[in-house]
């Protein structure tokens, strides 16, 4: 049972505790954990608050005290003014005063200050005195301030009173938007020594390109420090002087200061509030402009685009910056942006080796346990599927940039699982978009600390030039095998024959664009020598590359040459084009298409997003799976291939292949069907149709034939197996070959019969006879002929049966409108299989 003495001890325990820990003045450093209670209950001995919370707004314990210690914080809002009360024991003090350190920190982008008032009362009284404003209405404005010491004298009426209560009220100031957050630390009540000490300068540092920030250890007189004559920077007085927050002096000069230079600053006649003057003082310092942030001086080190509510980390997007430089950076007006939105950061200092978390406005509370936090108004939302992020200086110079996509997570489980994306090596000298990986930390993120994927292992691979091509006659694009340091100049490149460079432009981490001073010559082979190109790990290599400026292909230059429309199961289709000219052709903006049911061009596919070059008299196979095509047709593995993500629909029975020029005008149209295959072909699956002659019309059925079995039934990217010469010997007829085996044991499975006449208007009959005179096959009967043309015979009779080996006669009868007759006989031999 609790007796009366126990009740008395419990009632006075807080005051006994206060007296016990003081040993003189009554002190509170706010390091002890707060009890989450509201007045009249005490959260610390002798201290009450009107609304105390654990880790959110109102009144709470923070880690942002002096020297990163704990402190008490108050967040006034439109519906709440914070009230703190403390019980003071006035015993044996000659001239008691209250002294504490306080500052404000930025909360959002509002203009409201935290207005601080204090009042007193005798504990025997029921009401407090009229509130007195601490400093001015703008003393604690909405920005990140340094701690300053404040002192309040005990009213004369209370000097003889033993028990006193002090109330500190933090009000929601006038203005717009949010109000500053107020922080108090190292509270003390009692006697203090009389200040006879002159103010001391504790720090000089650059504030801008032409500004210095001077920090003093105590509040200064509001007038004397503003005299420009009191400052001498090696013979130069400042253009202007500003005193801020009582202890900060800003000197502005009419010229920029030299980065990295040692300066001497002489100061005099600067008093504190008591009137103690700083004697003539000479201070040496090294100047750095904190707004001059070099490329990669700040690194986007970690991003959280898709947080989750059911995890330990706050369900809030964040971006972590890491300071890789050698001197502090000031972030005011630094641009933080994604692909759609950009914002300016508020005043904040970040020091070498520190992490800083950028978070949306009013979301800092959840991250204070993880380190330094800067709230960002109008937060550029991070898209879950991918985005490009960027940091720029206040002058618009890029500091760092990276892009991410779902591929960086390596799977939907990670992309949607609340995992951050981390940079492995923040000291890597290039963009790290391709190197972002999901966090391996159990929390699925490492805000404010070293990344879980941290790895400084150096790369030993040399950068290789993978691709180079002319964009036009004065512009060349180069792409390397890995990211390179963007410091190359015209000295790193040379041409043979000579081409003079005008400029070098970096397109992305792997790509360079060379701008020429004069136009290159079309179809001229240029040898490009590259020296001194370094990757982001410092590996330097040399490359040699052949470049040719192609000419734009026009109608008739590029033709459809081979088609596989019925591939093997699981294999891709392909369309092969042929460059008929003796020039290098640019065909990247040409297209493949088909015809829809109405006969209209449909399903248009551009051959390349950028440039695509085809050499003279060469072939190019266009397919959706190059590797599989090479496996299916190993004899053609050395052919030329081009990957297209999707082909137009080309059905396996019949369809239309359309080749379009850059203006999408039809250059060629091939209407194919299965009957164009060799009549003796048992299974057309996996067998391509080859064009026999590039000079003969694409629409002539005789100009298409099944690829030979000798080459594996297709020749993608290389010369056709069934091909006749484009050279005509000047006679009316040309037969090639004159001996063939229809079953394909060796060579062609057909013969081609080309004709060339002196004029159009001839009518002709083309028949095949046995030596005995028996009619075997009719290739043409009373057909109106052009100036030239083509027929083929596959070694079959009119019933489609293969004929016996032996000799056969081609009989050609030609008639013109004038009644002239030409009869031509040629021998063709059918070989035997062996």
């Amino acid at each position: 049972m609790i007796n009366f003495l126990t009740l008395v001890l419990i009632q006075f325990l807080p005051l006994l505790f206060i007296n016990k820990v003081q040993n003189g003045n009554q002190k509170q450093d706010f390091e002890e954990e707060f009890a989450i209670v509201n007045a009249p209950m005490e959260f610390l001995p002798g201290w009450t608050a009107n609304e105390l919370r654990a880790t959110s707004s109102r009144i709470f314990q923070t880690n942002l005290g002096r020297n990163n210690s704990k402190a008490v914080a108050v967040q006034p809002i439109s519906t709440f003014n914070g009230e703190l009360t403390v019980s003071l024991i006035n015993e044996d003090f000659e001239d008691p005063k209250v002294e504490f350190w306080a500052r404000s920190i930025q909360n959002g982008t509002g203009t409201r200050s935290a207005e601080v008032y204090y009042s007193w009362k005798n504990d025997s009284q029921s009401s407090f005195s009229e509130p007195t404003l601490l400093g001015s209405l703008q003393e604690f404005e909405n920005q990140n301030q340094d701690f300053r010491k404040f002192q309040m004298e005990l009213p004369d009426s209370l000097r003889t009173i033993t028990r006193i209560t002090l109330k500190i009220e933090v009000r929601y100031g006038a203005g717009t938007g949010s109000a500053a957050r107020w922080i108090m630390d190292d509270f003390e009540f009692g006697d203090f020594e009389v200040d006879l000490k002159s103010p001391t300068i504790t720090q000089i540092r650059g504030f801008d390109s032409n500004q210095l920030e001077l920090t003093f250890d105590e509040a200064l007189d509001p007038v004397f420090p503003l005299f420009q004559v009191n400052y001498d920077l090696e013979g130069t007085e400042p253009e202007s002087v500003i005193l801020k927050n009582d202890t900060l002096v800003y000197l502005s000069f009419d010229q920029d200061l030299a980065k990295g230079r040692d300066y001497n600053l002489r100061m005099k006649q600067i008093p504190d509030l008591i009137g103690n003057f700083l004697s003539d003082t000479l201070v040496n310092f090294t100047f750095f402009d904190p707004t001059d942030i070099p490329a990669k001086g700040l690194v986007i080190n970690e991003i959280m685009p898709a947080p989750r509510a059911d995890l330990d980390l706050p369900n809030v997007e964040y971006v972590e910056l890491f300071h890789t430089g050698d001197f502090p950076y000031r972030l005011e007006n630094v641009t933080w942006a994604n692909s759609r939105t950009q914002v300016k950061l508020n005043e904040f200092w970040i020091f070498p080796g520190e992490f800083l978390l950028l978070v949306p406005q009013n979301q800092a509370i959840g991250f204070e346990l993880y380190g330094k936090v800067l709230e960002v108004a109008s937060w550029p939302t991070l898209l879950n599927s991918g985005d490009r992020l960027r940091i720029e200086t206040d002058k618009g110079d890029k500091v760092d940039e990276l892009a991410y996509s779902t591929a960086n997570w390596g799977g939907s489980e990670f992309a949607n699982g609340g995992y951050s994306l981390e940079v492995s090596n923040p000291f890597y000298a290039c963009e790290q978009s391709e190197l972002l990986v999901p966090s391996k930390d159990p929390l699925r993120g490492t805000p404010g600390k070293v990344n879980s994927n941290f790895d400084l292992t150096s790369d030993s691979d040399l950068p290789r030039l993978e691709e180079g091509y002319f964009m036009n006659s004065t512009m060349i694009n180069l792409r390397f095998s890995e990211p390179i340091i963007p410091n190359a100049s015209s000295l790193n490149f040379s041409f043979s024959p000579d081409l003079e460079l005008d400029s070098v432009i970096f397109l992305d981490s792997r790509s360079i664009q060379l701008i020429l001073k004069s136009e290159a010559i079309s179809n001229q082979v240029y040898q490009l020598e590259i020296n001194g190109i370094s990757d982001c790990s410092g590996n330097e290599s040399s490359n040699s590359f052949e470049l040719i400026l192609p000419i734009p292909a026009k109608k008739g230059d590029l033709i459809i040459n081979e088609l596989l429309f019925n591939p093997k199961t699981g294999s891709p289709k392909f369309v092969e084009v042929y460059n008929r000219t003796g020039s290098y052709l640019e065909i990247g903006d040409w297209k493949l298409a088909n015809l829809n049911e109405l006969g209209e061009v449909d399903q248009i596919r551009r051959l390349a997003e950028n440039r695509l070059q085809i050499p003279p008299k060469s072939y190019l196979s266009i397919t959706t799976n190059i590797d599989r095509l090479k496996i299916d047709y190993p004899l053609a593995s050395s052919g030329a291939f081009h990957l297209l993500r999707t082909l137009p629909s080309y059905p396996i029975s019949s369809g239309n292949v359309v080749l379009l020029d850059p203006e999408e005008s039809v250059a060629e149209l091939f209407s194919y069907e299965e009957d164009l295959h060799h009549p003796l072909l048992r299974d057309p699956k996996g067998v391509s149709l080859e064009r026999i002659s590039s000079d003969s019309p694409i629409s002539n059925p005789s100009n298409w034939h099944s690829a030979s079995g000798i080459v594996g039934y297709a020749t993608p990217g290389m010369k056709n197996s069934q091909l006749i010469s484009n050279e005509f010997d000047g006679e009316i007829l040309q037969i090639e070959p004159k001996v063939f085996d229809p079953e394909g044991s060796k060579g062609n499975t057909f013969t081609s019969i080309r004709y060339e006449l002196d004029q159009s208007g001839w009518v002709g009959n083309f028949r095949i006879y046995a030596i005995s005179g028996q009619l075997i096959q009719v290739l043409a009967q009373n057909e109106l002929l052009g100036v030239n043309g083509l027929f083929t015979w596959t070694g079959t009779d009119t019933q489609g049966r293969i004929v016996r080996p032996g000799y056969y006669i081609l009989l050609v009868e030609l008639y013109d409108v004038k009644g002239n007759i030409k009869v031509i006989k040629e021998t063709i031999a059918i070989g035997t299989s062996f």
Side-chain angles (χ1 to χ4, degrees):
M1 183 174 180
I2 301 177
N3 58 29
F4 176 76
L5 180 59
T6 304
L7 288 174
V8 171
L9 288 174
I10 293 174
Q11 180 179 356
F12 288 97
L13 185 59
L15 298 182
L16 292 173
F17 177 78
I18 292 173
N19 289 329
K20 180 178 181 182
V21 300
Q22 284 165 4
N23 189 25
N25 288 354
Q26 182 177 331
K27 301 178 182 179
Q28 180 54 258
D29 58 12
F30 303 105
E31 293 298 314
E32 183 183 350
E33 291 295 325
F34 291 6
I36 310 303
V37 293
N38 295 330
M41 302 295 289
E42 297 177 343
F43 66 89
L44 286 175
W47 288 80
T48 68
N50 62 332
E51 188 171 346
L52 195 80
R53 295 193 180 181
T55 57
S56 64
S57 59
R58 311 299 192 270
I59 301 174
F60 55 95
Q61 189 175 35
T62 180
N63 293 318
L64 300 177
R66 296 181 68 205
N67 302 315
N68 295 318
S69 66
K70 294 181 180 179
V72 63
V74 183
Q75 179 62 71
I77 59 176
S78 61
T79 58
F80 171 78
N81 292 327
E83 293 182 5
L84 292 166
T85 65
V86 55
S87 295
L88 304 176
I89 308 300
N90 183 18
E91 289 184 347
D92 302 325
F93 294 136
E94 295 181 3
D95 186 19
K97 296 180 178 65
V98 166
E99 189 173 278
F100 57 84
W101 294 79
R103 66 165 176 159
S104 61
I105 61 174
Q106 179 102 23
N107 174 48
T109 59
T111 63
R112 300 179 189 273
S113 298
E115 299 176 359
V116 180
Y117 294 82
Y118 62 93
S119 55
W120 310 86
K121 82 177 182 71
N122 183 335
D123 279 7
S124 65
Q125 298 173 335
S126 60
S127 60
F128 286 89
S129 64
E130 186 70 20
T132 300
L133 178 66
L134 181 65
S136 67
L137 291 175
Q138 297 299 317
E139 185 75 32
F140 300 103
E141 56 189 334
N142 192 16
Q143 62 176 246
N144 296 311
Q145 298 179 336
D146 290 329
F147 274 103
R148 307 187 303 285
K149 184 190 293 185
F150 293 88
Q151 193 176 80
M152 299 180 295
E153 293 190 358
L154 196 66
D156 291 340
S157 61
L158 298 179
R159 286 181 177 272
T160 60
I161 304 303
T162 302
R163 298 177 62 184
I164 306 162
T165 300
L166 168 66
K167 179 169 73 172
I168 298 175
E169 183 179 3
V170 184
R171 298 180 183 178
Y172 185 65
T176 61
S178 53
R181 182 173 296 159
W182 188 74
I183 298 179
M184 179 174 65
D185 200 3
D186 293 337
F187 180 94
E188 186 172 355
F189 171 67
D191 285 329
F192 296 91
E193 294 183 5
V194 177
D195 179 12
L196 299 177
K197 178 176 171 294
S198 300
T200 302
I201 187 164
T202 59
Q203 178 178 256
I204 297 180
R205 63 183 179 184
F207 190 76
D208 211 323
S209 60
N210 67 337
Q211 283 186 308
L212 296 177
E213 180 188 70
L214 283 56
T215 304
F216 290 84
D217 65 342
E218 60 177 314
L220 302 179
D221 179 90
V223 176
F224 280 88
L226 300 180
F227 297 156
Q228 293 156 257
V229 70
N230 290 343
Y231 308 92
D232 182 335
L233 184 67
E234 299 186 351
T236 302
E237 289 184 5
E239 187 177 39
S240 66
V241 181
I242 297 174
L243 176 63
K244 189 175 182 180
N245 297 338
D246 298 334
T247 60
L248 297 176
V249 174
Y250 294 89
L251 308 181
S252 297
F253 298 87
D254 57 3
Q255 291 185 344
D256 289 350
L257 304 180
K259 178 181 176 181
R261 177 182 164 181
D262 290 334
Y263 284 92
N264 290 311
L265 177 67
R266 186 176 297 278
M267 295 168 287
K268 61 182 180 180
Q269 296 300 307
I270 300 175
D272 60 15
L273 294 174
I274 308 301
N276 301 307
F277 278 83
L278 174 71
S279 59
D280 286 4
T281 301
L282 183 67
V283 180
N284 177 267
F285 67 95
T286 303
F287 175 78
F288 290 100
D289 177 5
T291 67
D292 182 21
I293 307 175
K296 306 298 286 188
L298 277 179
V299 174
I300 304 173
N301 195 52
E302 183 180 357
I303 57 177
M304 175 65 85
R308 281 180 49 169
D310 56 344
L311 301 176
D312 292 328
L313 291 178
N315 183 27
V316 177
E317 294 181 356
Y318 67 82
V319 172
E320 179 189 82
L321 304 182
F322 177 66
H323 190 313
T324 64
D326 299 319
F327 57 89
Y329 300 140
R330 189 169 68 86
L331 302 186
E332 184 180 24
N333 290 325
V334 165
T335 297
W336 163 244
N338 62 11
S339 58
R340 302 164 311 285
T341 308
Q342 64 179 32
V343 296
K344 298 290 187 180
L345 299 183
N346 295 321
E347 175 74 1
F348 199 94
W349 288 81
I350 181 172
F351 297 88
E354 283 189 340
F355 299 95
L356 173 63
L357 298 174
L358 304 182
V359 302
Q361 186 175 357
N362 300 323
Q363 298 293 338
I365 298 297
F367 287 96
E368 287 183 343
L369 296 176
Y370 300 101
K372 289 192 172 182
V373 183
L374 177 59
E375 293 184 339
V376 178
S378 302
W379 174 259
T381 302
L382 309 180
L383 298 180
N384 293 5
S385 58
D387 212 337
R388 177 164 284 276
L389 311 180
R390 186 178 74 259
I391 308 173
E392 293 179 353
T393 68
D394 58 352
K395 300 176 181 64
D397 299 323
K398 185 175 77 171
V399 177
D400 195 22
E401 184 175 24
L402 58 76
Y404 66 93
S405 67
T406 53
N408 289 109
W409 278 281
S412 59
E413 175 187 352
F414 288 97
N416 300 317
Y419 290 86
S420 72
L421 291 174
E422 297 178 344
V423 164
S424 300
N425 181 0
F427 302 100
Y428 191 65
C430 298
E431 182 179 318
Q432 306 220 44
S433 300
E434 300 177 16
L435 307 178
L436 281 172
V437 290
S439 176
K440 298 185 294 186
D441 191 272
L443 296 179
R444 305 191 183 190
T446 54
K449 66 179 183 180
V450 174
N451 289 345
S452 63
N453 293 287
F454 184 75
D455 183 5
L456 297 182
T457 304
S458 61
D459 164 35
S460 59
D461 294 334
L462 300 179
R464 294 177 294 99
L465 181 61
E466 289 186 330
E467 183 180 30
Y469 53 86
F470 279 91
M471 292 290 292
N472 54 46
S473 61
T474 60
M475 188 182 299
I476 298 170
N477 279 11
L478 306 176
R479 183 165 179 81
F480 291 83
S481 59
E482 58 178 318
I484 57 175
I485 296 177
N487 61 357
S489 69
S490 57
L491 299 177
N492 299 102
F493 306 92
S494 61
F495 292 89
S496 179
D498 185 51
L499 288 174
E500 191 174 358
L501 279 181
D502 178 75
S503 57
V504 178
I505 301 172
F506 284 83
L507 302 177
D508 57 42
S509 62
R510 296 186 180 199
S511 301
I512 292 177
Q513 190 170 84
L514 307 180
I515 307 298
L516 305 177
K517 287 187 176 180
S518 58
E519 293 187 353
I521 300 172
S522 297
N523 282 298
Q524 168 72 56
V525 177
Y526 292 96
Q527 195 69 30
L528 171 62
E529 297 291 337
I530 305 175
N531 295 289
I533 296 295
S534 298
D535 65 15
C536 301
S537 298
N539 301 307
E540 184 176 301
S541 73
S542 300
N543 290 269
S544 180
F545 201 80
E546 196 174 84
L547 290 169
I548 300 137
L549 173 62
I551 62 174
K554 60 181 184 299
K555 284 187 180 181
D557 292 346
L558 191 70
I559 63 171
I560 300 170
N561 191 64
E562 187 174 357
L563 172 66
L564 178 63
F565 57 88
N566 187 3
K568 299 176 183 178
T569 302
S571 295
K573 300 176 182 180
F574 73 81
V575 177
E576 183 187 82
V577 293
Y578 174 61
N579 177 3
R580 301 175 66 231
T581 75
S583 300
Y584 287 85
L585 298 180
E586 173 53 50
I587 61 170
D589 49 1
W590 282 59
K591 291 118 180 165
L592 286 175
N594 61 16
L595 298 181
N596 61 21
E597 295 178 353
L598 300 177
E600 301 166 333
V601 174
D602 196 18
Q603 297 185 14
I604 298 173
R605 305 285 190 269
R606 181 178 168 130
L607 295 189
E609 292 183 5
N610 295 312
R611 297 286 169 171
L612 179 60
Q613 188 179 108
I614 183 169
K617 302 292 184 182
S618 65
Y619 307 84
L620 182 66
S621 179
I622 302 164
T623 184
T624 57
N625 190 333
I626 295 174
D627 293 336
R628 180 58 189 267
L629 202 60
K630 288 182 176 181
I631 293 173
D632 290 342
Y633 304 101
L635 294 179
S637 60
S638 61
F641 297 87
H642 175 65
L643 185 68
L644 201 61
R645 187 172 61 86
T646 60
L647 285 172
S649 175
Y650 298 131
I652 63 174
S653 57
S654 64
N656 300 279
V657 180
V658 183
L659 181 64
L660 301 174
D661 66 13
E663 288 72 38
E664 298 191 0
S665 176
V666 176
E668 282 209 312
L669 169 61
F670 176 35
S671 297
Y672 67 88
E673 57 184 20
E674 195 172 90
D675 290 345
L676 292 178
H677 278 297
H678 195 287
L680 298 182
L681 187 65
R682 294 180 179 86
D683 184 4
K685 183 178 288 292
V687 182
S688 71
L689 282 177
E690 295 179 330
R691 189 169 183 165
I692 297 170
S693 170
S694 60
D695 288 336
S696 298
I698 192 172
S699 58
N700 186 349
S702 297
N703 201 17
W704 292 91
H705 209 279
S706 305
S708 172
I710 294 176
V711 296
Y713 294 107
T715 55
M718 59 186 297
K719 184 178 179 180
N720 291 351
S721 63
Q722 311 281 21
L723 188 66
I724 63 174
S725 171
N726 287 330
E727 297 293 332
F728 206 90
D729 60 10
E731 298 179 359
I732 292 177
L733 287 184
Q734 178 176 305
I735 302 172
E736 186 180 344
K738 288 192 173 184
V739 179
F740 72 97
D741 175 14
E743 295 186 302
S745 61
K746 184 177 182 181
N748 282 20
T749 59
F750 65 95
T751 186
S752 62
I753 303 158
R754 295 180 61 209
Y755 66 86
E756 187 169 310
L757 302 170
D758 56 358
Q759 62 183 8
S760 60
W762 287 84
V763 176
N765 299 319
F766 288 72
R767 301 186 183 93
I768 304 292
Y769 290 90
I771 296 297
S772 63
Q774 179 186 358
L775 178 63
I776 299 298
Q777 185 63 272
V778 178
L779 304 179
Q781 181 70 34
N782 294 326
E783 185 167 324
L784 182 62
L785 305 177
V787 175
N788 53 58
L790 173 71
F791 297 99
T792 58
W793 181 42
T794 59
T796 57
D797 60 18
T798 56
Q799 305 298 316
R801 297 170 300 193
I802 189 169
V803 300
R804 295 180 179 181
Y807 290 95
Y808 293 84
I809 303 298
L810 167 64
L811 178 63
V812 178
E813 298 170 323
L814 304 174
Y815 309 89
D816 68 5
V817 294
K818 297 178 181 180
N820 296 319
I821 301 175
K822 292 183 180 182
V823 178
I824 304 170
K825 291 183 180 181
E826 293 286 347
T827 302
I828 301 174
I830 299 294
T832 58
S833 301
F834 58 88

